[in-house]
Amino acid sequence: MRKLFLILAILFLVLSILFTLLPMGTIAFLPIGLALISSLVLLKKSAENQRRLPNWLLTLSAICSFVVVLKLVFIKDKVEVDKKFEQQKIETKIEAKKELEELENDLE
């Protein structure tokens, strides 16, 4: 049973690190929480001399959680208006209207 929780804790920790590094937002808390739970269960199932790895897993999970919280607090999402794209959109509409008018004139 200990090996199962060890594998789960490591797997969820790797996912936590990936989700922390990628811009995933609060969805990164899901693997972090699962890594913390697996690490805690692993810590309870381990003997006194086998508790070094679960402690490291707990520490790394807590660090990932802290980094995600810092990213949420200090990094703001900004949406900028692309003026070139807006101008192209307007020009495309004008060209489409001209083409439709030309087609109407050709049909008459």
Side-chain angles (χ1 to χ4, degrees):
M1 192 71 156
R2 182 182 183 277
K3 287 184 181 182
L4 173 69
F5 283 108
L6 178 65
I7 292 169
L8 286 175
I10 291 172
L11 176 73
F12 288 133
L13 182 64
V14 169
L15 286 174
S16 300
I17 292 170
L18 287 175
F19 280 27
T20 301
L21 295 176
L22 296 173
M24 299 294 261
T26 57
I27 201 165
F29 284 121
L30 181 65
I32 290 171
L34 293 172
L36 283 170
I37 291 169
S38 299
S39 299
L40 286 172
V41 171
L42 180 63
L43 189 65
K44 294 291 183 187
K45 298 274 183 193
S46 299
E48 197 65 35
N49 60 351
Q50 297 176 330
R51 291 192 174 183
R52 189 173 205 171
L53 183 60
N55 284 334
W56 276 103
L57 294 173
L58 276 170
T59 304
L60 289 174
S61 298
I63 290 171
C64 285
S65 178
F66 185 69
V67 169
V68 169
V69 169
L70 286 178
K71 282 173 66 175
L72 288 174
V73 170
F74 290 114
I75 297 177
K76 301 294 181 197
D77 293 331
K78 294 181 184 176
V79 178
E80 292 187 22
V81 177
D82 189 4
K83 293 180 181 178
K84 288 181 182 178
F85 177 71
E86 294 296 326
Q87 184 64 30
Q88 285 178 341
K89 226 167 56 170
I90 293 170
E91 290 173 3
T92 304
K93 284 182 182 179
I94 293 171
E95 288 175 15
K97 284 181 183 178
K98 286 181 183 177
E99 288 177 10
L100 285 174
E101 289 174 359
E102 288 176 8
L103 286 175
E104 280 182 1
N105 291 337
D106 289 341
L107 290 175
E108 292 177 354

